[in-house]
Amino acid sequence: MAQTEVSFQVKGILLDSLTQEGEPYATIRIVRDDKPEKPVKMMVSDMKGRFRETVFGKGKFTLSVTSVGRTTIVRKFTVKESGETFDFGTIYMTDAANELGVVEVVAQKPLVKADIDKIEYSVSDDPDSETNTMLEMLRKVPMVTVDGEDNIKVNGSSSFKVYVNGKPNSMMSNNPTEVLKSMPANTIKKIEVITNPGPKYDAEGVGGILNIITSGGGFEGYTVTLSGNASNTGAGGGVFGTVQKGKFTLSARYNYNYNNSPRSYSGGSQRATDISSDVANLDYDGSSKGDGSFQSGSIEASYEIDTLNLVSVSFGLWGGSNDSRGNSRYAGTSPADGSSLYRYVTASGSESSWYSIDGGIDFQHISPAVKERMLTFSYRVNSRPQTSDSNTEYTIDEGYDVDWGEYLRRLEDQRNDGEQNTTEHTFQADFTTPLGKNHKVETGVKYILRNNSSDNDRYLRAAGASEFLFDEEHSTHYRHQNDIIAAYLGYGLTLKKLSGRLGVRYEHTIEDVKYLLGRGEDFRKNYDDVIPSASLGWKLTDLSNLRLGYNMRIYRPGIWYLNPYLDDSNPSSLSQGNPELESEHSHSFSLSYSNFTSKFNINLAARYSFTNNSIQSVTSLVSEDDIPDLSAENRTGKDVLYTTYQNIGKSRDFNLSAYANWNASQNTRIYANLFGGYTKLKGADGLENDGWNFFGYGGAQQSFKHDWRLSMNVFGQTPWVMLQGKGSSFFSYGISLNKSFMKRKLTLSAYANNFFKKYNRFSSHIEGSGFISDSWNEYPQMRFGFSISYRVGELKASVKKAARTITNDDVKSGEGGGGGGVSGN
């Protein structure tokens, strides 16, 4: 009967409207106009976008072409007789960026995308973002690790920079753990890990750049979203909205979080390896409790003068405050016979605040004569006021050894009042233009004027006294001028499946420090750095690619590394900066493979890096008499720990990372993020250490009927390698459940992490010249709570932004500060 029925053929080819490449796996649907609910034929395009099929029937038909993220194509035709062929020729597919409507999700969106120089993780498409903090979500991101003590690393390095919406935020770069721990993940759209920054990016950051794209810049339309959360450690809430009138668009958001963590505990010991009457073995333990708040807000606006000229402005606020109280007990004993030498107790408290307030304006002009030729002028101003006030009170046991009386005399009650501020103005110009069909050149110049001020006043109170007296000798007021002059040139090539980039960047740095009060000496330093970069990409198929890259990055010493001021507030552990430090240079080579399909996503990467002049902290047990800047009246001849910094480190790192995501079914997702490698470190005085390390994060997400979702995650790590020892291993787990209502406008979520154990214990072991040190910390890890979000409004408009804008990512923070950064210049 089929041979006697009317039949016809349809065929065509689907191409991307911009790249002219085939559109694979698009769905082609043919229906009769009188029965549109029941298709007579469905097919899928091949890898090159082609389709060809025989269909039965006659009359009026409609052919529709759909693909994820693409505008639907509709073609109508009429079949009159058997044997006809309907050749639709070339059909061009375009992005459906402005055609959002009522969409029923029938397949899971890929969470990860790969480009020639970056990996992108879509936080907003991960259901766990409804309950997790931003720090917890980072554990899922390829090439990023967050250990049990919340230390962040990118590509195995703690030297990285953090950008927000393509613009640097120094407060986040200097305090990434604290900020991201306080930030709800449902305020974030995606994270970009720029593993091979090109010449347009500032050269700072060995591991790369993290670019955090907030929902404020990503949601489109007339919409308002309200959210709130509460847990055993605090509560918070936020609001986001967008309005548009004509060519003017404005969006604003604000978030506030309060954190009140349970008490944490710490302790440790210090043992001398050379027995002497001038050294004591030290044992200590204590506890602390604190609370804090974090808030962030931003306003973005754009005005499209015409199709070729765009002006955009932005204003942002990030910051918070912390208040903590603690106490510790110290006991010094003789390394010879274990007899007691001294005992004392400290009661301490601190209050701090840190904010980053910035604004910027960009003007972008697109050439009407040459496609993709663009000129951008940008200006940015940023101010980062901070306060840091602390106090310590000592109670000394009277039964101390008389030989240690002079040493203990230095333990006077202490109060420190600190104020810091950094104000910077940045001017930048960028120009990019194509050269023919396959070539592109980009160039630009940049000038940063950065003024830092720091006033730290110390007050001392002798035993038995009631008043604190100003200690001018140990107080310090300094002004730090840091100017950066930079220029870059880049070249890009696109040739069928091959793409490549070459670039070079020049940076001149001026460091000028003046002490208005204190023992520091004025100093001035200049740096000149030439930074090359190269990357090559090969598109194996439409869904997979291979990338090869070389990158040189620098690690510029910040003021706390350079400052020659001797900090002797703790008589058993002194530290001092080194103004002779030079920029640290790191070279890395990487090879990575990505394959992203609707069913399975995988990213594999191998990276080798080396540094021959890394800045290392060097700690040794020395006599106070050998510390030249220690005041004569404070020298007691006892042995103490002394820390300074030197360009003596040599490091060799080989790392392998793997990210895999398997959509086992339409409702089931299984994923893993793995990172491991070998590290070899060398330092001064014969210090050397090496070893393997491994980080693993994995889990599963299950969707059920009526918009229920369940997520389960586990995370573990082995001890990490340090120059003078090793860190701690760690294991964690969590579960979350969320439910959506009212067509997913209202979402409720509940979660619980580490619910079988309230505290987790971390330990570290360090060996240095003349001593062995062990320390431990117990942090509260049990966390449970719920969150709620509600969205109203329609999605139609978004704030337009200049394609080029200012990004500053050029300073290495002090010890304990991470670093990060991402998209932009």
Side-chain angles (χ1 to χ4, degrees):
M1 293 180 60
Q3 293 177 351
T4 61
E5 190 176 347
V6 174
S7 65
F8 59 94
Q9 279 197 343
V10 295
K11 65 178 182 178
I13 182 169
L14 308 175
L15 298 182
D16 184 280
S17 62
L18 296 178
T19 66
Q20 306 295 305
E21 296 176 345
E23 181 79 12
Y25 304 129
T27 300
I28 297 97
R29 186 172 184 262
I30 299 176
V31 300
R32 294 178 61 95
D33 287 359
D34 56 351
K35 295 182 180 180
E37 73 283 352
K38 184 178 180 180
V40 296
K41 177 65 70 174
M42 293 187 69
M43 68 198 87
V44 176
S45 62
D46 64 15
M47 291 296 294
K48 295 184 178 181
R50 296 172 302 193
F51 63 91
R52 185 185 185 100
E53 194 67 65
T54 299
V55 186
F56 294 95
K58 67 178 181 178
K60 295 182 178 181
F61 292 85
T62 298
L63 176 143
S64 61
V65 182
T66 59
S67 184
V68 176
R70 299 292 202 170
T71 301
T72 300
I73 305 296
V74 176
R75 297 286 189 271
K76 291 184 176 293
F77 60 98
T78 302
V79 179
K80 297 180 179 180
E81 58 184 29
S82 184
E84 289 188 81
T85 297
F86 294 89
D87 187 350
F88 293 95
T90 301
I91 300 176
Y92 292 102
M93 305 291 290
T94 60
D95 288 340
N98 297 316
E99 298 194 9
L100 296 179
V102 179
V103 179
E104 180 182 359
V105 178
V106 295
Q108 295 185 3
K109 295 174 64 176
L111 290 177
V112 178
K113 297 179 182 178
D115 200 353
I116 188 172
D117 58 358
K118 68 183 178 182
I119 296 291
E120 177 185 302
Y121 189 89
S122 178
V123 177
S124 60
D125 289 324
D126 189 330
D128 283 352
S129 65
E130 296 296 331
T131 57
N132 285 349
T133 67
M134 196 59 242
L135 187 71
E136 292 166 331
M137 293 300 296
L138 271 184
R139 290 193 170 102
K140 293 187 174 187
V141 179
M143 298 182 169
V144 178
T145 62
V146 183
D147 66 24
E149 295 181 274
D150 297 335
N151 299 305
I152 306 169
K153 291 184 178 182
V154 177
N155 269 326
S157 174
S158 58
S159 165
F160 61 95
K161 290 296 174 182
V162 178
Y163 289 26
V164 178
N165 296 325
K167 300 178 181 179
N169 187 288
S170 298
M171 186 275 295
M172 293 192 68
S173 292
N174 294 338
N175 307 278
T177 295
E178 295 303 321
V179 174
L180 297 178
K181 186 186 296 183
S182 304
M183 183 183 294
N186 59 14
T187 66
I188 305 302
K189 183 178 181 181
K190 62 183 178 181
I191 297 176
E192 295 174 347
V193 184
I194 303 180
T195 56
N196 191 25
K200 66 181 180 180
Y201 297 96
D202 291 336
E204 183 71 25
V206 172
I209 298 173
L210 287 182
N211 188 25
I212 298 174
I213 309 298
T214 65
S215 297
F219 273 127
E220 300 178 339
Y222 302 97
T223 179
V224 174
T225 301
L226 303 172
S227 63
N229 64 83
S231 70
N232 62 314
T233 60
V239 60
F240 163 72
T242 294
V243 295
Q244 182 189 40
K245 185 175 182 180
K247 295 182 177 181
F248 180 77
T249 307
L250 176 71
S251 71
R253 66 177 187 84
Y254 177 79
N255 285 89
Y256 176 86
N257 258 54
Y258 172 75
N259 181 63
N260 186 13
S261 299
R263 182 171 292 273
S264 60
Y265 301 87
S266 62
S269 64
Q270 175 188 310
R271 296 289 179 264
T273 54
D274 298 322
I275 297 177
S276 167
S277 60
D278 291 328
V279 64
N281 288 339
L282 188 65
D283 293 278
Y284 58 92
D285 63 81
S287 67
S288 64
K289 190 180 188 311
D291 58 76
S293 63
F294 171 78
Q295 56 184 324
S296 67
S298 66
I299 297 176
E300 296 178 333
S302 67
Y303 180 74
E304 192 174 12
I305 301 173
D306 51 41
T307 57
L308 302 177
N309 299 284
L310 173 70
V311 176
S312 58
V313 297
S314 63
F315 173 83
L317 167 70
W318 304 75
S321 61
N322 290 301
D323 186 358
S324 65
R325 296 289 181 269
N327 55 76
S328 299
R329 297 177 297 178
Y330 295 83
T333 58
S334 169
D337 56 17
S339 60
S340 176
L341 300 178
Y342 60 82
R343 293 177 181 272
Y344 64 87
V345 176
T346 66
S348 60
S350 66
E351 295 179 357
S352 63
S353 66
W354 31 270
Y355 289 91
S356 177
I357 306 166
D358 63 72
I361 183 169
D362 301 291
F363 171 75
Q364 174 181 288
H365 172 72
I366 299 175
S367 170
V370 180
K371 185 180 180 181
E372 297 185 358
R373 174 175 292 174
M374 182 171 56
L375 177 65
T376 307
F377 295 100
S378 303
Y379 166 74
R380 178 172 177 261
V381 61
N382 176 264
S383 181
R384 299 188 291 276
Q386 301 179 55
T387 63
S388 54
D389 302 334
S390 63
N391 63 83
T392 303
E393 297 182 0
Y394 294 90
T395 303
I396 302 173
D397 191 328
E398 293 296 335
Y400 57 81
D401 189 296
V402 293
D403 290 338
W404 288 81
E406 286 298 308
Y407 175 85
L408 296 174
R409 179 183 60 81
R410 294 167 53 190
L411 302 180
E412 296 181 290
D413 293 349
Q414 192 177 124
R415 191 182 86 228
N416 292 276
D417 297 338
E419 291 185 0
Q420 301 83 34
N421 189 31
T422 295
T423 301
E424 65 182 24
H425 302 269
T426 306
F427 304 87
Q428 183 167 313
D430 299 277
F431 177 72
T432 179
T433 182
L435 298 178
K437 182 180 179 180
N438 302 317
H439 310 270
K440 179 181 288 187
V441 173
E442 58 181 2
T443 185
V445 293
K446 183 176 186 178
Y447 184 32
I448 306 173
L449 296 91
R450 180 180 294 126
N451 293 309
N452 305 287
S453 65
S454 178
D455 296 340
N456 293 282
D457 294 329
R458 180 186 295 187
Y459 298 84
L460 297 177
R461 182 174 62 186
S466 59
E467 297 291 332
F468 280 94
L469 300 178
F470 180 61
D471 182 6
E472 181 174 338
E473 181 183 1
H474 293 89
S475 301
T476 176
H477 294 187
Y478 67 81
R479 302 296 180 261
H480 175 206
Q481 181 178 340
N482 182 207
D483 292 352
I484 312 291
I485 303 171
Y488 72 89
L489 177 64
Y491 164 75
L493 169 69
T494 303
L495 188 62
K496 294 184 178 180
K497 295 186 176 183
L498 178 69
S499 59
R501 295 177 187 172
L502 290 173
V504 63
R505 185 181 184 88
Y506 166 76
E507 293 188 356
H508 177 71
T509 306
I510 302 171
E511 301 268 7
D512 190 0
V513 174
K514 295 181 179 180
Y515 284 85
L516 308 181
L517 176 68
R519 293 180 293 174
E521 297 180 0
D522 296 353
F523 64 92
R524 181 183 178 91
K525 290 192 66 67
N526 293 304
Y527 305 93
D528 286 291
D529 294 293
V530 178
I531 304 98
S533 62
S535 56
L536 189 66
W538 181 261
K539 194 172 184 179
L540 301 174
T541 69
D542 290 320
L543 302 173
S544 63
N545 60 64
L546 193 66
R547 305 181 303 279
L548 180 67
Y550 161 74
N551 205 261
M552 173 184 166
R553 305 294 287 167
I554 66 173
Y555 211 23
R556 185 178 291 116
I559 183 62
W560 292 111
Y561 288 86
L562 299 168
N563 189 355
Y565 171 76
L566 178 68
D567 182 1
D568 59 354
S569 57
N570 182 347
S572 64
S573 181
L574 286 69
S575 62
Q576 185 176 31
N578 178 8
E580 300 301 321
L581 291 175
E582 301 290 343
S583 295
E584 173 184 321
H585 292 178
S586 174
H587 303 265
S588 66
F589 303 85
S590 61
L591 175 65
S592 57
Y593 166 79
S594 300
N595 186 50
F596 301 114
T597 68
S598 59
K599 205 70 171 171
F600 191 75
N601 302 339
I602 187 170
N603 183 82
L604 304 174
R607 184 174 186 263
Y608 173 75
S609 62
F610 67 90
T611 304
N612 292 325
N613 69 330
S614 65
I615 299 170
Q616 297 285 350
S617 63
V618 180
T619 302
S620 55
L621 192 68
V622 302
S623 171
E624 289 180 336
D625 296 335
D626 296 332
I627 303 176
D629 292 333
L630 183 62
S631 302
E633 62 269 21
N634 285 331
R635 296 180 183 177
T636 64
K638 302 302 183 183
D639 290 350
V640 297
L641 291 182
Y642 173 67
T643 300
T644 188
Y645 306 96
Q646 297 180 27
N647 283 105
I648 45 75
K650 291 187 176 182
S651 63
R652 302 291 184 270
D653 292 275
F654 177 73
N655 299 314
L656 295 172
S657 65
Y659 169 83
N661 181 88
W662 176 37
N663 295 328
S665 71
Q666 178 179 325
N667 299 313
T668 306
R669 187 197 304 273
I670 300 172
Y671 48 85
N673 186 27
L674 309 175
F675 186 94
Y678 175 78
T679 299
K680 185 176 181 64
L681 303 171
K682 288 185 178 181
D685 301 323
L687 290 175
E688 186 174 342
N689 199 10
D690 65 279
W692 295 86
N693 60 85
F694 174 79
F695 165 94
Y697 184 96
Q701 294 172 354
Q702 179 66 44
S703 298
F704 302 95
K705 292 182 178 179
H706 309 298
D707 288 327
W708 285 90
R709 289 189 182 90
L710 176 68
S711 296
M712 295 175 289
N713 303 296
V714 294
F715 154 59
Q717 69 174 41
T718 60
W720 68 92
V721 179
M722 301 180 292
L723 178 61
Q724 293 179 270
K726 288 191 174 183
S728 180
S729 58
F730 182 74
F731 178 77
S732 177
Y733 52 88
I735 185 171
S736 66
L737 180 67
N738 64 58
K739 171 75 169 74
S740 296
F741 304 88
M742 304 169 60
K743 297 182 179 180
R744 300 184 181 178
K745 289 185 176 182
L746 174 66
T747 301
L748 301 177
S749 304
Y751 56 91
N753 298 331
N754 301 300
F755 38 83
F756 289 123
K757 191 176 182 181
K758 184 176 181 179
Y759 287 89
N760 272 329
R761 187 182 179 98
F762 310 94
S763 61
S764 64
H765 176 79
I766 297 176
E767 297 184 14
S769 176
F771 75 97
I772 297 175
S773 176
D774 290 280
S775 62
W776 57 267
N777 292 277
E778 285 188 352
Y779 297 117
Q781 295 292 306
M782 181 183 292
R783 183 170 175 262
F784 51 87
F786 69 91
S787 64
I788 180 173
S789 67
Y790 180 64
R791 176 179 57 83
V792 295
E794 299 297 328
L795 306 181
K796 291 179 181 177
S798 66
V799 173
K800 295 189 175 182
K801 300 178 182 178
R804 289 285 191 272
T805 187
I806 288 175
T807 55
N808 296 341
D809 56 356
D810 56 284
V811 179
K812 175 177 179 178
S813 307
E815 287 282 293
V822 193
S823 182
N825 297 354

